[in-house]
PDB file of all heavy atoms in Angstrom:
ATOM      1  N   SER A   1      65.235 168.514  81.569  1.00  0.00           N
ATOM      2  CA  SER A   1      65.245 168.353  80.113  1.00  0.00           C
ATOM      3  C   SER A   1      63.828 168.137  79.590  1.00  0.00           C
ATOM      4  O   SER A   1      63.408 168.745  78.600  1.00  0.00           O
ATOM      5  CB  SER A   1      66.132 167.167  79.716  1.00  0.00           C
ATOM      6  OG  SER A   1      67.461 167.356  80.149  1.00  0.00           O
ATOM      7  N   ALA A   2      63.087 167.260  80.278  1.00  0.00           N
ATOM      8  CA  ALA A   2      61.713 166.974  79.849  1.00  0.00           C
ATOM      9  C   ALA A   2      60.821 168.193  80.005  1.00  0.00           C
ATOM     10  O   ALA A   2      60.017 168.517  79.115  1.00  0.00           O
ATOM     11  CB  ALA A   2      61.154 165.799  80.649  1.00  0.00           C
ATOM     12  N   LEU A   3      60.954 168.890  81.130  1.00  0.00           N
ATOM     13  CA  LEU A   3      60.106 170.056  81.382  1.00  0.00           C
ATOM     14  C   LEU A   3      60.348 171.154  80.357  1.00  0.00           C
ATOM     15  O   LEU A   3      59.394 171.706  79.768  1.00  0.00           O
ATOM     16  CB  LEU A   3      60.367 170.589  82.791  1.00  0.00           C
ATOM     17  CG  LEU A   3      59.617 171.878  83.162  1.00  0.00           C
ATOM     18  CD1 LEU A   3      58.117 171.658  83.153  1.00  0.00           C
ATOM     19  CD2 LEU A   3      60.088 172.406  84.517  1.00  0.00           C
ATOM     20  N   LEU A   4      61.597 171.486  80.117  1.00  0.00           N
ATOM     21  CA  LEU A   4      61.904 172.553  79.159  1.00  0.00           C
ATOM     22  C   LEU A   4      61.463 172.175  77.748  1.00  0.00           C
ATOM     23  O   LEU A   4      61.011 173.029  76.981  1.00  0.00           O
ATOM     24  CB  LEU A   4      63.400 172.871  79.180  1.00  0.00           C
ATOM     25  CG  LEU A   4      63.927 173.516  80.460  1.00  0.00           C
ATOM     26  CD1 LEU A   4      65.436 173.705  80.384  1.00  0.00           C
ATOM     27  CD2 LEU A   4      63.244 174.862  80.719  1.00  0.00           C
ATOM     28  N   LEU A   5      61.581 170.896  77.404  1.00  0.00           N
ATOM     29  CA  LEU A   5      61.140 170.458  76.077  1.00  0.00           C
ATOM     30  C   LEU A   5      59.625 170.589  75.943  1.00  0.00           C
ATOM     31  O   LEU A   5      59.119 171.096  74.926  1.00  0.00           O
ATOM     32  CB  LEU A   5      61.567 169.013  75.830  1.00  0.00           C
ATOM     33  CG  LEU A   5      61.168 168.425  74.478  1.00  0.00           C
ATOM     34  CD1 LEU A   5      61.795 169.212  73.328  1.00  0.00           C
ATOM     35  CD2 LEU A   5      61.560 166.953  74.377  1.00  0.00           C
ATOM     36  N   VAL A   6      58.888 170.167  76.954  1.00  0.00           N
ATOM     37  CA  VAL A   6      57.428 170.259  76.897  1.00  0.00           C
ATOM     38  C   VAL A   6      56.987 171.715  76.798  1.00  0.00           C
ATOM     39  O   VAL A   6      56.098 172.061  76.004  1.00  0.00           O
ATOM     40  CB  VAL A   6      56.801 169.579  78.134  1.00  0.00           C
ATOM     41  CG1 VAL A   6      55.315 169.910  78.233  1.00  0.00           C
ATOM     42  CG2 VAL A   6      56.995 168.066  78.065  1.00  0.00           C
ATOM     43  N   VAL A   7      57.608 172.584  77.584  1.00  0.00           N
ATOM     44  CA  VAL A   7      57.259 174.006  77.523  1.00  0.00           C
ATOM     45  C   VAL A   7      57.577 174.579  76.150  1.00  0.00           C
ATOM     46  O   VAL A   7      56.774 175.315  75.562  1.00  0.00           O
ATOM     47  CB  VAL A   7      58.000 174.789  78.627  1.00  0.00           C
ATOM     48  CG1 VAL A   7      57.793 176.293  78.453  1.00  0.00           C
ATOM     49  CG2 VAL A   7      57.502 174.361  80.010  1.00  0.00           C
ATOM     50  N   ALA A   8      58.755 174.238  75.607  1.00  0.00           N
ATOM     51  CA  ALA A   8      59.129 174.751  74.283  1.00  0.00           C
ATOM     52  C   ALA A   8      58.182 174.253  73.198  1.00  0.00           C
ATOM     53  O   ALA A   8      57.915 174.950  72.213  1.00  0.00           O
ATOM     54  CB  ALA A   8      60.567 174.344  73.960  1.00  0.00           C
ATOM     55  N   MET A   9      57.644 173.057  73.363  1.00  0.00           N
ATOM     56  CA  MET A   9      56.722 172.483  72.376  1.00  0.00           C
ATOM     57  C   MET A   9      55.410 173.256  72.310  1.00  0.00           C
ATOM     58  O   MET A   9      54.694 173.168  71.311  1.00  0.00           O
ATOM     59  CB  MET A   9      56.451 171.016  72.695  1.00  0.00           C
ATOM     60  CG  MET A   9      57.606 170.087  72.385  1.00  0.00           C
ATOM     61  SD  MET A   9      57.421 168.437  73.131  1.00  0.00           S
ATOM     62  CE  MET A   9      55.912 167.878  72.353  1.00  0.00           C
ATOM     63  N   THR A  10      55.088 173.991  73.346  1.00  0.00           N
ATOM     64  CA  THR A  10      53.836 174.753  73.349  1.00  0.00           C
ATOM     65  C   THR A  10      53.975 176.101  72.653  1.00  0.00           C
ATOM     66  O   THR A  10      52.983 176.809  72.482  1.00  0.00           O
ATOM     67  CB  THR A  10      53.352 174.991  74.791  1.00  0.00           C
ATOM     68  OG1 THR A  10      54.291 175.839  75.482  1.00  0.00           O
ATOM     69  CG2 THR A  10      53.220 173.680  75.544  1.00  0.00           C
ATOM     70  N   GLY A  11      55.182 176.479  72.260  1.00  0.00           N
ATOM     71  CA  GLY A  11      55.394 177.772  71.612  1.00  0.00           C
ATOM     72  C   GLY A  11      54.721 177.845  70.248  1.00  0.00           C
ATOM     73  O   GLY A  11      54.479 176.832  69.599  1.00  0.00           O
ATOM     74  N   SER A  12      54.452 179.058  69.816  1.00  0.00           N
ATOM     75  CA  SER A  12      53.730 179.241  68.551  1.00  0.00           C
ATOM     76  C   SER A  12      54.662 179.330  67.347  1.00  0.00           C
ATOM     77  O   SER A  12      54.194 179.351  66.214  1.00  0.00           O
ATOM     78  CB  SER A  12      52.881 180.522  68.622  1.00  0.00           C
ATOM     79  OG  SER A  12      53.712 181.663  68.760  1.00  0.00           O
ATOM     80  N   ARG A  13      55.984 179.373  67.582  1.00  0.00           N
ATOM     81  CA  ARG A  13      56.939 179.558  66.484  1.00  0.00           C
ATOM     82  C   ARG A  13      57.713 178.267  66.232  1.00  0.00           C
ATOM     83  O   ARG A  13      58.590 177.895  67.011  1.00  0.00           O
ATOM     84  CB  ARG A  13      57.899 180.706  66.816  1.00  0.00           C
ATOM     85  CG  ARG A  13      57.274 182.061  66.695  1.00  0.00           C
ATOM     86  CD  ARG A  13      58.087 183.152  67.364  1.00  0.00           C
ATOM     87  NE  ARG A  13      57.833 183.217  68.796  1.00  0.00           N
ATOM     88  CZ  ARG A  13      58.218 184.219  69.586  1.00  0.00           C
ATOM     89  NH1 ARG A  13      58.885 185.237  69.071  1.00  0.00           N
ATOM     90  NH2 ARG A  13      57.951 184.207  70.875  1.00  0.00           N
ATOM     91  N   ASP A  14      57.385 177.585  65.151  1.00  0.00           N
ATOM     92  CA  ASP A  14      58.091 176.365  64.755  1.00  0.00           C
ATOM     93  C   ASP A  14      59.277 176.761  63.883  1.00  0.00           C
ATOM     94  O   ASP A  14      59.266 176.578  62.654  1.00  0.00           O
ATOM     95  CB  ASP A  14      57.142 175.428  63.998  1.00  0.00           C
ATOM     96  CG  ASP A  14      56.084 174.823  64.910  1.00  0.00           C
ATOM     97  OD1 ASP A  14      56.154 175.045  66.132  1.00  0.00           O
ATOM     98  OD2 ASP A  14      55.178 174.141  64.393  1.00  0.00           O
ATOM     99  N   TYR A  15      60.313 177.287  64.529  1.00  0.00           N
ATOM    100  CA  TYR A  15      61.408 177.896  63.782  1.00  0.00           C
ATOM    101  C   TYR A  15      62.742 177.158  63.887  1.00  0.00           C
ATOM    102  O   TYR A  15      63.663 177.496  63.163  1.00  0.00           O
ATOM    103  CB  TYR A  15      61.626 179.336  64.247  1.00  0.00           C
ATOM    104  CG  TYR A  15      60.642 180.324  63.648  1.00  0.00           C
ATOM    105  CD1 TYR A  15      60.601 181.633  64.099  1.00  0.00           C
ATOM    106  CD2 TYR A  15      59.763 179.958  62.633  1.00  0.00           C
ATOM    107  CE1 TYR A  15      59.708 182.557  63.564  1.00  0.00           C
ATOM    108  CE2 TYR A  15      58.868 180.860  62.094  1.00  0.00           C
ATOM    109  CZ  TYR A  15      58.841 182.162  62.560  1.00  0.00           C
ATOM    110  OH  TYR A  15      57.955 183.072  62.031  1.00  0.00           O
ATOM    111  N   GLY A  16      62.864 176.196  64.811  1.00  0.00           N
ATOM    112  CA  GLY A  16      64.159 175.554  64.821  1.00  0.00           C
ATOM    113  C   GLY A  16      64.440 174.717  66.044  1.00  0.00           C
ATOM    114  O   GLY A  16      63.852 174.906  67.112  1.00  0.00           O
ATOM    115  N   SER A  17      65.391 173.804  65.884  1.00  0.00           N
ATOM    116  CA  SER A  17      65.824 172.964  66.991  1.00  0.00           C
ATOM    117  C   SER A  17      66.580 173.754  68.039  1.00  0.00           C
ATOM    118  O   SER A  17      66.821 173.253  69.139  1.00  0.00           O
ATOM    119  CB  SER A  17      66.715 171.829  66.457  1.00  0.00           C
ATOM    120  OG  SER A  17      67.862 172.353  65.807  1.00  0.00           O
ATOM    121  N   ARG A  18      66.933 174.999  67.730  1.00  0.00           N
ATOM    122  CA  ARG A  18      67.648 175.824  68.718  1.00  0.00           C
ATOM    123  C   ARG A  18      66.805 176.064  69.965  1.00  0.00           C
ATOM    124  O   ARG A  18      67.359 176.356  71.032  1.00  0.00           O
ATOM    125  CB  ARG A  18      68.073 177.152  68.095  1.00  0.00           C
ATOM    126  CG  ARG A  18      66.930 178.068  67.699  1.00  0.00           C
ATOM    127  CD  ARG A  18      67.434 179.264  66.909  1.00  0.00           C
ATOM    128  NE  ARG A  18      66.365 180.149  66.481  1.00  0.00           N
ATOM    129  CZ  ARG A  18      65.967 181.224  67.153  1.00  0.00           C
ATOM    130  NH1 ARG A  18      66.553 181.535  68.294  1.00  0.00           N
ATOM    131  NH2 ARG A  18      65.000 181.990  66.688  1.00  0.00           N
ATOM    132  N   TYR A  19      65.494 175.957  69.856  1.00  0.00           N
ATOM    133  CA  TYR A  19      64.641 176.117  71.024  1.00  0.00           C
ATOM    134  C   TYR A  19      64.797 174.948  71.997  1.00  0.00           C
ATOM    135  O   TYR A  19      64.297 175.011  73.120  1.00  0.00           O
ATOM    136  CB  TYR A  19      63.180 176.265  70.596  1.00  0.00           C
ATOM    137  CG  TYR A  19      62.896 177.578  69.913  1.00  0.00           C
ATOM    138  CD1 TYR A  19      62.888 177.673  68.526  1.00  0.00           C
ATOM    139  CD2 TYR A  19      62.662 178.735  70.642  1.00  0.00           C
ATOM    140  CE1 TYR A  19      62.647 178.882  67.882  1.00  0.00           C
ATOM    141  CE2 TYR A  19      62.410 179.949  70.009  1.00  0.00           C
ATOM    142  CZ  TYR A  19      62.409 180.014  68.635  1.00  0.00           C
ATOM    143  OH  TYR A  19      62.170 181.215  68.002  1.00  0.00           O
ATOM    144  N   ALA A  20      65.485 173.897  71.573  1.00  0.00           N
ATOM    145  CA  ALA A  20      65.786 172.758  72.455  1.00  0.00           C
ATOM    146  C   ALA A  20      67.294 172.563  72.568  1.00  0.00           C
ATOM    147  O   ALA A  20      67.768 171.438  72.749  1.00  0.00           O
ATOM    148  CB  ALA A  20      65.127 171.489  71.928  1.00  0.00           C
ATOM    149  N   ILE A  21      68.066 173.646  72.488  1.00  0.00           N
ATOM    150  CA  ILE A  21      69.527 173.540  72.504  1.00  0.00           C
ATOM    151  C   ILE A  21      70.042 173.034  73.843  1.00  0.00           C
ATOM    152  O   ILE A  21      71.200 172.610  73.956  1.00  0.00           O
ATOM    153  CB  ILE A  21      70.162 174.914  72.151  1.00  0.00           C
ATOM    154  CG1 ILE A  21      71.624 174.764  71.728  1.00  0.00           C
ATOM    155  CG2 ILE A  21      70.040 175.884  73.325  1.00  0.00           C
ATOM    156  CD1 ILE A  21      71.827 174.058  70.433  1.00  0.00           C
ATOM    157  N   PHE A  22      69.191 173.032  74.865  1.00  0.00           N
ATOM    158  CA  PHE A  22      69.589 172.493  76.165  1.00  0.00           C
ATOM    159  C   PHE A  22      69.763 170.976  76.108  1.00  0.00           C
ATOM    160  O   PHE A  22      70.497 170.396  76.916  1.00  0.00           O
ATOM    161  CB  PHE A  22      68.551 172.868  77.231  1.00  0.00           C
ATOM    162  CG  PHE A  22      67.132 172.583  76.825  1.00  0.00           C
ATOM    163  CD1 PHE A  22      66.584 171.329  76.993  1.00  0.00           C
ATOM    164  CD2 PHE A  22      66.354 173.575  76.233  1.00  0.00           C
ATOM    165  CE1 PHE A  22      65.282 171.058  76.599  1.00  0.00           C
ATOM    166  CE2 PHE A  22      65.047 173.323  75.840  1.00  0.00           C
ATOM    167  CZ  PHE A  22      64.512 172.048  76.022  1.00  0.00           C
ATOM    168  N   LEU A  23      69.094 170.298  75.193  1.00  0.00           N
ATOM    169  CA  LEU A  23      69.178 168.832  75.133  1.00  0.00           C
ATOM    170  C   LEU A  23      70.594 168.325  74.868  1.00  0.00           C
ATOM    171  O   LEU A  23      71.045 167.387  75.538  1.00  0.00           O
ATOM    172  CB  LEU A  23      68.203 168.287  74.096  1.00  0.00           C
ATOM    173  CG  LEU A  23      66.713 168.408  74.427  1.00  0.00           C
ATOM    174  CD1 LEU A  23      65.864 167.841  73.292  1.00  0.00           C
ATOM    175  CD2 LEU A  23      66.379 167.696  75.733  1.00  0.00           C
ATOM    176  N   PRO A  24      71.349 168.877  73.884  1.00  0.00           N
ATOM    177  CA  PRO A  24      72.716 168.380  73.685  1.00  0.00           C
ATOM    178  C   PRO A  24      73.638 168.624  74.880  1.00  0.00           C
ATOM    179  O   PRO A  24      74.717 168.028  74.932  1.00  0.00           O
ATOM    180  CB  PRO A  24      73.202 169.172  72.458  1.00  0.00           C
ATOM    181  CG  PRO A  24      71.971 169.631  71.773  1.00  0.00           C
ATOM    182  CD  PRO A  24      70.965 169.855  72.857  1.00  0.00           C
ATOM    183  N   MET A  25      73.221 169.466  75.813  1.00  0.00           N
ATOM    184  CA  MET A  25      74.042 169.711  76.998  1.00  0.00           C
ATOM    185  C   MET A  25      73.674 168.751  78.130  1.00  0.00           C
ATOM    186  O   MET A  25      74.501 167.975  78.609  1.00  0.00           O
ATOM    187  CB  MET A  25      73.872 171.165  77.444  1.00  0.00           C
ATOM    188  CG  MET A  25      74.278 172.184  76.403  1.00  0.00           C
ATOM    189  SD  MET A  25      74.112 173.866  77.021  1.00  0.00           S
ATOM    190  CE  MET A  25      74.554 174.805  75.555  1.00  0.00           C
ATOM    191  N   PHE A  26      72.415 168.784  78.551  1.00  0.00           N
ATOM    192  CA  PHE A  26      71.987 167.939  79.662  1.00  0.00           C
ATOM    193  C   PHE A  26      72.079 166.456  79.311  1.00  0.00           C
ATOM    194  O   PHE A  26      72.531 165.640  80.129  1.00  0.00           O
ATOM    195  CB  PHE A  26      70.552 168.302  80.063  1.00  0.00           C
ATOM    196  CG  PHE A  26      70.446 169.564  80.862  1.00  0.00           C
ATOM    197  CD1 PHE A  26      70.281 170.794  80.243  1.00  0.00           C
ATOM    198  CD2 PHE A  26      70.511 169.532  82.245  1.00  0.00           C
ATOM    199  CE1 PHE A  26      70.177 171.966  80.984  1.00  0.00           C
ATOM    200  CE2 PHE A  26      70.406 170.696  83.001  1.00  0.00           C
ATOM    201  CZ  PHE A  26      70.244 171.913  82.367  1.00  0.00           C
ATOM    202  N   LEU A  27      71.655 166.099  78.109  1.00  0.00           N
ATOM    203  CA  LEU A  27      71.633 164.682  77.759  1.00  0.00           C
ATOM    204  C   LEU A  27      73.013 164.147  77.406  1.00  0.00           C
ATOM    205  O   LEU A  27      73.228 162.933  77.439  1.00  0.00           O
ATOM    206  CB  LEU A  27      70.649 164.435  76.618  1.00  0.00           C
ATOM    207  CG  LEU A  27      69.182 164.712  76.978  1.00  0.00           C
ATOM    208  CD1 LEU A  27      68.264 164.309  75.834  1.00  0.00           C
ATOM    209  CD2 LEU A  27      68.772 164.006  78.262  1.00  0.00           C
ATOM    210  N   ALA A  28      73.952 165.022  77.091  1.00  0.00           N
ATOM    211  CA  ALA A  28      75.338 164.554  76.930  1.00  0.00           C
ATOM    212  C   ALA A  28      75.862 164.030  78.252  1.00  0.00           C
ATOM    213  O   ALA A  28      76.543 162.986  78.306  1.00  0.00           O
ATOM    214  CB  ALA A  28      76.221 165.690  76.416  1.00  0.00           C
ATOM    215  N   VAL A  29      75.545 164.739  79.342  1.00  0.00           N
ATOM    216  CA  VAL A  29      75.960 164.277  80.668  1.00  0.00           C
ATOM    217  C   VAL A  29      75.298 162.938  80.987  1.00  0.00           C
ATOM    218  O   VAL A  29      75.944 162.004  81.478  1.00  0.00           O
ATOM    219  CB  VAL A  29      75.601 165.326  81.736  1.00  0.00           C
ATOM    220  CG1 VAL A  29      75.991 164.827  83.130  1.00  0.00           C
ATOM    221  CG2 VAL A  29      76.293 166.654  81.444  1.00  0.00           C
ATOM    222  N   ALA A  30      73.996 162.846  80.702  1.00  0.00           N
ATOM    223  CA  ALA A  30      73.295 161.581  80.938  1.00  0.00           C
ATOM    224  C   ALA A  30      73.913 160.450  80.119  1.00  0.00           C
ATOM    225  O   ALA A  30      74.082 159.324  80.618  1.00  0.00           O
ATOM    226  CB  ALA A  30      71.815 161.742  80.593  1.00  0.00           C
ATOM    227  N   ALA A  31      74.271 160.729  78.873  1.00  0.00           N
ATOM    228  CA  ALA A  31      74.854 159.694  78.010  1.00  0.00           C
ATOM    229  C   ALA A  31      76.177 159.180  78.558  1.00  0.00           C
ATOM    230  O   ALA A  31      76.539 158.016  78.331  1.00  0.00           O
ATOM    231  CB  ALA A  31      75.043 160.241  76.599  1.00  0.00           C
ATOM    232  N   GLY A  32      76.894 160.024  79.279  1.00  0.00           N
ATOM    233  CA  GLY A  32      78.169 159.586  79.846  1.00  0.00           C
ATOM    234  C   GLY A  32      78.039 158.427  80.812  1.00  0.00           C
ATOM    235  O   GLY A  32      78.997 157.664  81.017  1.00  0.00           O
TER     236      GLY A  32
END
């Protein structure tokens, strides 16, 4: 989750939270 977020943060297109759509999946499991 951290790695993909950091990589996505380096992108040149600030277009949406969809570039971090993996967070509601991986972190939902962690929240459990």
Side-chain angles (χ1 to χ4, degrees):
S1 300
L3 176 63
L4 292 177
L5 180 61
V6 169
V7 172
M9 287 166 61
T10 65
S12 64
R13 286 165 278 193
D14 290 354
Y15 280 172
S17 60
R18 66 188 179 94
Y19 290 97
I21 198 68
F22 49 84
L23 291 179
M25 300 182 183
F26 283 90
L27 295 186
V29 178

